[in-house]
Amino acid sequence: MVGLDNAGKTATVRGIQGESPLDVAPTVGFSKVDLKQGKFEVTIFDLGGGKRIRGIWKNYYSESYGVVFVVDSSDVQRIQETSDTMAEVLRHPRIAGKPVLVLANKQDRDGALAEADIIESLSLEKLVNENKCLCQIEPCSAVLGYGKKVDKSIKNGLNWLLNNIAKDYEAISERVQKDTADQRAQEEQDKKERAERVRRIREERDRQEREEGEREGRVVNEMEPDDNMANPFQPINNVITENDSRLKKEIEMLRPREEGHQRNTQDQTDLQDEAEEEEQEDEESERQTPESSESGAVDQAKKKTRILRLKRKHRVDPLRVEEAAPKSPTPPPLPDFYGKPLPPVAIRQRPNSDTHDLGQCSDVHGCNCP
């Protein structure tokens, strides 16, 4: 079943199959439908009608016993494209001579072309005579019903197609088998040609790389194909078993390293703790007063004895900031004026005519001088 996109191919197939033809999405690629029509078991390939996908139609011609071409009768603007597409299909050597059913779909819409107009627009008589195809056209509407209520024109057209195939079934079947074998042989030949083209392209690329390497003074490593190379595709169980064994070996190899690392970490932690304890003891000894120094002499001796027994092989003594920093000079003491009399203040007398010379007064505090 072929035709332009939006012609109603999928809606027609669903109606024949007994499903609702409404709300049908465009076909991407193709869909295969198996159904029973009367006494016939039918397989319909519903092929997408977009411009980009019409190239795959020819891959199904060899297996086809007949063709259903669906036309959108209401799409007058694309009637010429429909005519060109139909001519291309019927002229194909693997379709020519096989029965063709033309469904003039969407007759329920306004402006749809009548049967005679479609025959004239598609040049249908001339086309089928040139390619010796039995042909029948049926005006129909795929959305009017489905199942037992499907459009009678669709049902009649499908019965006509199947009956004509049945009349000449042996000849068509022999032709289908021959065309299918030829197509497979052609596909194998195309596959070999593609492989040969790829091989030549790779050889040409390797030759160019080798020449460039010689000009630049580089050494180009050429990988020789190894005929005895093992098959890279292995059962998944073998791969899982191999990965598990490799993982176990790696864990066993890493376990001693982790234990040694843990021991080293523990030793470093012990040394750090001992260094901190010693530093705290030194600070406590510096803070002790003369009265407490005698009482703690015995404890200090015990601690020093215990500290001297430590292993100092990998120990690094911490740097003390107090010892490393230079001591600042002691500032001079400030003068103490508390508890001492202030020095006398010298009073200078300014000369004045009215003042009395205190040096000539016999009684300094009892005179009546001003």
Side-chain angles (χ1 to χ4, degrees):
M1 183 169 290
V2 293
L4 301 187
D5 52 310
N6 199 34
K9 299 183 295 297
T10 304
T12 303
V13 173
R14 293 183 67 174
I16 297 172
Q17 196 177 5
E19 299 179 359
S20 175
L22 302 176
D23 299 331
V24 176
T27 302
V28 179
F30 76 97
S31 62
K32 179 181 177 182
V33 178
D34 296 325
L35 53 89
K36 190 172 182 180
Q37 185 70 17
K39 61 181 179 179
F40 302 106
E41 294 181 357
V42 186
T43 299
I44 299 178
F45 290 99
D46 177 18
L47 306 179
K51 288 184 178 180
R52 297 182 179 181
I53 206 171
R54 293 174 198 169
I56 71 169
W57 289 1
K58 60 184 179 181
N59 298 330
Y60 298 88
Y61 291 164
S62 61
E63 301 179 63
S64 301
Y65 287 75
V67 178
V68 179
F69 198 102
V70 183
V71 179
D72 185 357
S73 303
S74 64
D75 194 356
V76 181
Q77 297 179 353
R78 302 178 68 187
I79 196 66
Q80 184 61 41
E81 183 180 357
T82 303
S83 176
D84 297 340
T85 305
M86 179 177 287
E88 184 178 357
V89 172
L90 298 186
R91 288 170 183 168
H92 196 278
R94 290 174 182 168
I95 290 293
K98 294 179 180 180
V100 177
L101 171 64
V102 179
L103 295 178
N105 193 24
K106 301 186 181 181
Q107 290 291 322
D108 56 313
R109 295 191 177 184
D110 297 335
L113 296 176
E115 178 181 352
D117 296 332
I118 294 177
I119 293 173
E120 183 181 358
S121 301
L122 300 179
S123 302
L124 194 56
E125 292 183 358
K126 179 182 178 181
L127 192 61
V128 296
N129 289 331
E130 288 177 353
N131 298 284
K132 299 179 181 180
C133 296
L134 292 176
C135 181
Q136 178 158 329
I137 183 170
E138 291 287 345
C140 62
S141 180
V143 296
L144 293 182
Y146 58 92
K148 293 182 178 180
K149 297 182 180 180
V150 70
D151 192 345
K152 291 182 179 180
S153 298
I154 298 176
K155 190 175 182 179
N156 294 334
L158 188 60
N159 289 332
W160 173 88
L161 179 64
L162 295 176
N163 288 324
N164 279 275
I165 292 174
K167 288 178 182 179
D168 200 13
Y169 182 78
E170 293 182 359
I172 297 177
S173 180
E174 183 179 354
R175 180 181 174 184
V176 166
Q177 293 177 2
K178 181 180 180 300
D179 292 344
T180 303
D182 294 343
Q183 182 175 345
R184 290 177 180 175
Q186 185 64 35
E187 290 176 355
E188 290 293 331
Q189 183 66 24
D190 294 342
K191 184 178 179 181
K192 292 180 181 179
E193 291 179 358
R194 286 196 300 269
E196 182 66 20
R197 288 196 300 269
V198 171
R199 186 185 63 81
R200 291 177 181 176
I201 292 172
R202 288 180 178 177
E203 290 180 354
E204 182 66 18
R205 183 183 59 190
D206 295 341
R207 185 183 63 79
Q208 292 178 359
E209 291 180 356
R210 188 165 53 253
E211 291 179 356
E212 292 178 359
E214 292 176 357
R215 288 196 300 267
E216 297 177 2
R218 293 185 289 103
V219 178
V220 180
N221 295 327
E222 297 183 358
M223 299 296 294
E224 294 292 338
D226 189 5
D227 297 336
N228 299 325
M229 184 171 53
N231 186 8
F233 301 100
Q234 301 179 7
I236 188 64
N237 294 330
N238 297 346
V239 177
I240 294 174
T241 305
E242 184 178 354
N243 292 339
D244 291 341
S245 60
R246 188 184 300 120
L247 182 61
K248 289 180 181 179
K249 290 181 181 179
E250 292 179 356
I251 293 174
E252 292 177 357
M253 293 175 62
L254 292 175
R255 188 174 298 169
R257 298 180 183 178
E258 293 179 356
E259 293 177 356
H261 179 68
Q262 292 177 358
R263 287 196 298 270
N264 294 336
T265 306
Q266 185 64 29
D267 295 340
Q268 292 178 2
T269 305
D270 296 340
L271 292 174
Q272 291 178 0
D273 296 340
E274 292 171 359
E276 292 177 358
E277 291 179 359
E278 184 178 357
E279 185 177 357
Q280 292 178 0
E281 291 170 359
D282 294 340
E283 292 178 356
E284 290 178 358
S285 63
E286 291 177 358
R287 290 197 300 268
Q288 285 181 353
T289 58
E291 290 80 4
S292 61
S293 60
E294 295 178 0
S295 62
V298 180
D299 297 335
Q300 291 290 337
K302 291 180 179 180
K303 291 179 180 179
K304 289 181 179 179
T305 304
R306 182 174 60 81
I307 292 171
L308 290 175
R309 293 175 184 174
L310 295 175
K311 295 181 181 180
R312 299 176 179 267
K313 185 176 181 180
H314 301 289
R315 178 175 174 180
V316 179
D317 295 331
L319 179 63
R320 294 185 180 179
V321 182
E322 294 82 357
E323 297 179 358
K327 296 181 180 180
S328 59
T330 305
L334 298 175
D336 188 10
F337 294 104
Y338 298 99
K340 295 182 181 180
L342 295 174
V345 180
I347 301 175
R348 294 181 60 188
Q349 295 182 358
R350 287 180 282 182
N352 192 349
S353 60
D354 296 334
T355 58
H356 183 73
D357 189 3
L358 296 179
Q360 296 178 0
C361 182
S362 59
D363 190 357
V364 176
H365 302 285
C367 67
N368 294 325
C369 60

